[in-house]
Amino acid sequence: MLDRTYLRENPDEVGDALENRGADVDLDEILEIDERWRELKARGDDLRHDRNEITQQIGKLVAEGKDDEREEAIERSRELKDEIEAVEAEADELHDELQERLLEVPNVPHESVPLGLEERHNVEDRRWGFDDLRELPDDVVPHYELGEDLDVIDEERAAKTTGSGFYFLKGDGARLEHALVQFMMDVHREQGYVDLFPPIPVKSASMRGTGQLPKFADDAYRLGASNDDSYEEEDLWLCPTAEVPVTNMYANEILLKDDLPLKHQAYTPNFRREAGEHGTETRGIVRVHQFNKVELVNFVEPEESYDRLEGLLDEAEAVLRRLGLPYRILELCTGDLTFASAKTYDIEVWAPGDDFEDGPEEGGRWLEVSSASNFEDYQARRSGLRYRPERHESAEYLHTLNASGLALPRVMVAILEYYQNEDGTVTIPEALRPYMGGKEVIEGHEKVGEAALGAGERE
């Protein structure tokens, strides 16, 4: 949430920022509501002052025995009381409306963010790993075909048990996923992260605190009610990212300067409807409704947040470097920033199985596996996250940052495609072998059931 004073004093700057984002927000109307609210607050203060003076006069009139004037003063006091209640009721109503409208205003991009409204305006910062590529098969098999051939990914049976956009991992596929989680968390422990295992359901208040609500309600899985129904603070949602519970665990608290920087990592399954999006990926595990992820969340002093963003980016990159997976770094333009972000870098891993028009010259495609973002004090204001610079000083809003470290399905895709061999097997990256009992190659499994024999499903 933007600071109301900042918004009030810098309307042109905020208006330009919203235009650069392509945000559809009526800033003038919000400022009009704010002005009317401030007028009512001032009017209420004046009326209370007048009533206090009359109250003092009533005491004097009683002492002086001026009964007629005392009755007039009492009547005027009653009138002022009614007027004050009416003014304050309208002010409270406007305050609630103002708060709701402010929740719809996205963050202001940092001055260093490239201008642009579309993905094509993102700026490629650098690439890693393309100078020493491993030898690939002449025809790289896409992960969804290879996963089916090796019987390590089963989308068909997941569609039967749950629906489209879900999948089973089997045998060495499941082992590889577990290995990735443990490997990533070990890497980040070395970087100074403290582990958390957060709750999966999260309250509406927490979703609002990190910016998922109200804007992205349609993309979330709500528990016990339809997404179309109005929601209360205590209503629960399935976690869309560990950013939500981890950031909000310190909501409405005051941390100390000595606590910062505070770095947490958390593994969670994540759930997203991604309304209107899933149909763009009809096969495979690139875009799914449930996925595992290790999330990195940082709480820092404001003056350190942009240095910490560069460090956070490097910490997330370290996973891909140690896995030997080629990738690139994008600096997102103003129009491609997430709602709450002031600046974001995307890490995109190379997956050579499917050729996309916007892929690298080597062929294949880019897959986003992490967004490293600085939210400045935007989430902190929504969640009440503050720190005290010195024990004798007033508390201030801190800055929050996060990045995936990393999102597992797309890393799995990259491994199956980049590390596949001519004979249809997959070489396990060296960094993961200790987590898989020393296993070096995924050779696949014998499929089960009559369908595996071509006899069709059992009747």
Side-chain angles (χ1 to χ4, degrees):
M1 179 181 291
L2 297 182
D3 178 21
R4 245 189 284 177
T5 302
Y6 168 73
L7 187 110
R8 189 183 304 139
E9 295 178 352
N10 302 276
D12 292 338
E13 180 181 335
V14 175
D16 289 343
L18 295 178
E19 184 178 350
N20 290 335
R21 269 182 167 272
D24 184 17
V25 176
D26 192 336
L27 186 59
D28 290 337
E29 186 175 357
I30 292 174
L31 291 171
E32 288 173 6
I33 296 171
D34 178 59
E35 183 177 2
R36 176 60 179 156
W37 173 78
R38 286 185 293 122
E39 289 173 352
L40 288 170
K41 292 294 287 183
R43 175 64 176 155
D45 291 341
D46 290 342
L47 290 171
R48 273 190 297 273
H49 174 74
D50 292 346
R51 189 165 186 254
N52 289 338
E53 286 190 341
I54 289 176
T55 300
Q56 293 175 3
Q57 290 175 8
I58 291 172
K60 292 179 181 179
L61 292 170
V62 170
E64 295 171 0
K66 298 178 179 179
D67 294 342
D68 291 343
E69 293 181 36
R70 176 178 61 85
E71 288 301 320
E72 290 178 5
I74 291 173
E75 180 60 29
R76 179 56 183 153
S77 177
R78 292 192 185 113
E79 292 173 355
L80 286 171
K81 179 177 180 293
D82 292 342
E83 194 172 349
I84 289 169
E85 289 177 352
V87 167
E88 289 185 339
E90 186 178 354
D92 289 344
E93 186 177 327
L94 279 176
H95 180 267
D96 291 344
E97 182 181 356
L98 182 59
Q99 289 296 102
E100 289 299 314
R101 296 297 297 274
L102 286 172
L103 290 174
E104 299 172 0
V105 180
N107 204 352
V108 171
H110 188 263
E111 60 184 9
S112 65
V113 174
L115 293 177
L117 294 177
E118 301 174 358
E119 286 185 10
R120 60 189 176 89
H121 297 128
N122 295 335
V123 176
E124 183 173 314
D125 185 72
R126 62 184 183 277
R127 297 186 185 187
W128 183 92
F130 284 89
D131 293 335
D132 188 27
L133 295 174
R134 73 186 298 268
E135 187 174 342
L136 297 173
D138 292 335
D139 294 311
V140 177
V141 179
H143 76 280
Y144 43 84
E145 293 181 5
L146 184 64
E148 185 177 337
D149 291 342
L150 295 174
D151 199 33
V152 295
I153 300 174
D154 194 330
E155 296 179 72
E156 185 176 351
R157 288 189 172 103
K160 178 171 58 179
T161 64
T162 310
S164 62
F166 297 88
Y167 61 98
F168 280 105
L169 292 176
K170 300 169 63 178
D172 285 338
R175 290 186 70 189
L176 183 61
E177 180 106 344
H178 285 297
L180 281 167
V181 172
Q182 291 302 320
F183 165 69
M184 290 177 185
M185 298 194 79
D186 281 351
V187 169
H188 299 315
R189 287 187 197 106
E190 294 172 7
Q191 298 165 344
Y193 282 85
V194 176
D195 290 36
L196 292 175
F197 212 148
I200 300 305
V202 289
K203 294 180 180 179
S204 301
S206 296
M207 293 278 280
R208 186 189 66 238
T210 44
Q212 275 73 24
L213 293 180
K215 185 173 178 60
F216 301 108
D218 288 344
D219 289 337
Y221 280 93
R222 186 176 175 184
L223 298 177
S226 167
N227 285 39
D228 295 329
D229 296 338
S230 61
Y231 51 84
E232 303 296 333
E233 295 286 270
E234 300 294 315
D235 289 348
L236 294 176
W237 308 70
L238 287 180
C239 176
T241 165
E243 167 193 352
V244 178
V246 176
T247 302
N248 283 281
M249 73 179 294
Y250 299 110
N252 302 312
E253 293 187 29
I254 298 176
L255 302 179
L256 301 177
K257 178 184 175 72
D258 292 344
D259 296 327
L260 306 179
L262 184 59
K263 298 166 61 175
H264 282 309
Q265 67 164 332
Y267 155 75
T268 58
N270 306 276
F271 302 86
R272 299 180 189 175
R273 291 184 186 277
E274 299 193 278
E277 295 284 347
H278 183 69
T280 61
E281 297 284 350
T282 56
R283 298 186 66 187
I285 62 174
V286 168
R287 189 177 294 280
V288 289
H289 296 315
Q290 177 186 339
F291 61 98
N292 295 320
K293 180 160 65 86
V294 174
E295 188 74 5
L296 309 177
V297 179
N298 290 201
F299 306 84
V300 304
E301 294 183 79
E303 60 270 19
E304 296 179 359
S305 66
Y306 278 96
D307 285 342
R308 180 84 284 273
L309 177 61
E310 300 300 321
L312 176 62
L313 176 64
D314 183 69
E315 290 164 351
E317 287 182 67
V319 172
L320 293 180
R321 292 196 296 264
R322 289 169 67 163
L323 290 173
L325 291 171
Y327 66 90
R328 70 170 178 175
I329 302 298
L330 289 182
E331 188 173 352
L332 299 193
C333 68
T334 51
D336 207 26
L337 290 175
T338 59
F339 182 79
S341 175
K343 182 169 184 175
T344 295
Y345 293 104
D346 269 5
I347 305 175
E348 296 186 340
V349 71
W350 181 47
D354 280 310
D355 289 336
F356 272 50
E357 185 177 339
D358 58 352
E361 52 272 21
E362 291 84 357
R365 65 189 297 194
W366 300 110
L367 294 176
E368 176 202 329
V369 292
S370 180
S371 290
S373 299
N374 186 356
F375 305 101
E376 297 185 353
D377 65 2
Y378 188 86
Q379 291 181 331
R381 288 182 180 277
R382 295 169 75 109
S383 298
L385 289 162
R386 295 184 293 164
Y387 83 107
R388 202 176 299 281
E390 300 294 341
R391 291 184 184 271
H392 63 279
E393 294 181 351
S394 299
E396 300 176 7
Y397 289 107
L398 49 73
H399 281 194
T400 60
L401 307 91
N402 67 49
S404 298
L406 303 162
L408 274 84
R410 294 179 181 184
V411 175
M412 178 82 75
V413 170
I415 290 174
L416 291 176
E417 295 184 1
Y418 181 66
Y419 277 102
Q420 70 178 254
N421 303 307
E422 195 70 53
D423 62 359
T425 62
V426 176
T427 297
I428 297 170
E430 288 188 21
L432 296 180
R433 293 173 189 174
Y435 300 89
M436 296 188 67
K439 193 176 184 69
E440 297 183 4
V441 178
I442 294 175
E443 298 176 330
H445 313 285
E446 291 292 331
K447 297 182 180 182
V448 301
E450 290 182 341
L453 302 176
E457 296 183 357
R458 291 185 177 90
E459 297 180 358

